[in-house]
Amino acid sequence: MWLSDSQKIGVGLTAFGLFFMMLGVMLLFDGGLMAIGNILFLCGITTIIGPKSTFVFFSRKEKIKGTICFLGGIFLVISKYPMLGFIVEIFGFLNLFGDFFPVVFGFLKRIPVIGPILSHPALARFVPRESRTRV
């Protein structure tokens, strides 16, 4: 899987967005850090898949509830209600990107250190068994 330079920048933006979101949550729902994380995450996704594909992804009929919750959560975080916004945003995130989790776990199970940990019987109940698409 080869990424163009702009897609590599998008991966970095998305990673920094997730980092700032986690940092904002760990610092007792700091609204500024969470807002920066949200903006970086959206910019990263747009840079990875392109503006048109991003719009098509977020406006699909089966994803509209997740889109409304995700963007509404971002609006609440920016409007100084970070805890409520984070909860709404997580619900929207799971509705939008929940289809990708089996693929991600299928990839992670093939990594030497992480694979045996995810295959441990205590965690096997929570990790999807197989991915829907081949990684």
Side-chain angles (χ1 to χ4, degrees):
M1 179 174 93
W2 297 99
L3 297 175
S4 68
D5 288 341
S6 63
Q7 288 175 325
K8 291 176 187 175
I9 292 170
V11 169
L13 288 173
T14 304
F16 274 118
L18 292 173
F19 171 74
F20 277 109
M21 280 294 297
M22 287 190 310
L23 188 62
V25 170
M26 286 191 297
L27 293 175
L28 302 176
F29 293 96
D30 182 25
L33 288 173
M34 292 175 70
I36 290 170
N38 285 327
I39 292 168
L40 287 174
F41 181 79
L42 286 178
C43 289
I45 293 294
T46 304
T47 307
I48 291 171
I49 63 175
K52 184 178 179 184
S53 297
T54 302
F55 180 75
V56 168
F57 176 77
F58 280 104
S59 62
R60 289 192 344 218
K61 185 178 178 184
E62 62 270 6
K63 302 280 187 184
I64 199 72
K65 187 190 319 181
T67 300
I68 291 170
C69 289
F70 186 70
L71 296 177
I74 291 173
F75 177 75
L76 287 172
V77 167
I78 293 173
S79 299
K80 304 293 183 187
Y81 295 103
M83 190 175 294
L84 178 63
F86 181 72
I87 293 169
V88 172
E89 193 175 327
I90 289 296
F91 178 76
F93 182 84
L94 291 175
N95 280 327
L96 281 172
F97 300 104
D99 297 340
F100 298 119
F101 290 140
V103 175
V104 170
F105 281 118
F107 173 75
L108 290 175
K109 283 183 178 180
R110 292 187 176 101
I111 296 176
V113 175
I114 299 172
I117 294 171
L118 290 176
S119 298
H120 190 273
L123 293 177
R125 301 184 289 188
F126 304 108
V127 178
R129 286 189 177 181
E130 53 190 59
S131 62
R132 292 182 191 150
T133 60
R134 188 173 176 165
V135 179

